[in-house]
Amino acid sequence: HILNAQVSVRAACCKRWFDCPQCHAENSTHDLKKTDEIIFLCKKCKKAFRKDINECEEADEYCPHCDNQYVVEAKTPMAALGVEGEDARVDNRLIKDDRAKINNSSMFDKDASDKLG
């Protein structure tokens, strides 16, 4: 699956919108129909536009309505090993605080009896 999809693509076979071919395969009982004309829906401005695969140019990497670049390197889910915990904004006990502690002692906390007159 593509995690950073900037557009949805309308499948020519079932007229439904999907972010990637894997999404279509998981949610449909038929194969994806191949076509030369692709209909896109920009996720930034929510406007649809058509592109012909046979006539793609470098300028076709951007939405014609809002200039959002939709041809970007795909980010796919990867397995990662990490520590699971609650939301750090609620429970931050798993986060190490590397800041130096400031000594907030008062002059009244110290024994200053020898300085009294």
Side-chain angles (χ1 to χ4, degrees), residues 25-63:
E26 286 180 0
N27 296 304
S28 301
T29 58
H30 58 276
D31 291 336
L32 185 62
K33 180 182 172 186
K34 298 189 184 212
T35 180
D36 288 340
E37 186 178 67
I38 301 176
I39 302 172
F40 295 99
L41 180 67
C42 180
K43 290 187 174 186
K44 184 177 178 185
C45 67
K46 309 288 190 233
K47 293 184 181 177
F49 57 96
R50 297 174 188 259
K51 293 289 177 186
D52 190 348
I53 290 284
N54 302 322
E55 300 174 5
C56 284
E57 298 176 5
E58 190 172 323
D60 290 335
E61 295 182 2
Y62 298 89
C63 171

Side-chain angles (χ1 to χ4, degrees), residues 104-112:
N104 287 335
S105 62
S106 170
M107 66 180 219
F108 297 108
D109 293 340
K110 298 177 186 172
D111 184 26

Side-chain angles (χ1 to χ4, degrees), residues 80-107:
L81 183 62
V83 177
E84 273 191 40
E86 296 295 322
D87 188 356
R89 295 169 290 184
V90 175
D91 183 12
N92 59 4
R93 290 180 290 175
L94 293 176
I95 299 174
K96 183 179 176 188
D97 188 3
D98 292 329
R99 296 177 291 180
K101 300 256 182 212
I102 299 172
N103 188 2
N104 287 335
S105 62
S106 170
M107 66 180 219

Side-chain angles (χ1 to χ4, degrees), residues 7-12 16-20 32 38-41:
V7 292
S8 291
V9 179
R10 187 172 184 201
R16 293 174 50 207
W17 297 95
F18 298 98
D19 286 349
C20 65
L32 185 62
I38 301 176
I39 302 172
F40 295 99
L41 180 67

Side-chain angles (χ1 to χ4, degrees), residues 1-5 70-78:
H1 293 284
I2 298 173
L3 300 177
N4 62 336
Y70 64 89
V71 179
V72 293
E73 184 177 343
K75 290 186 181 178
T76 55
M78 298 175 62

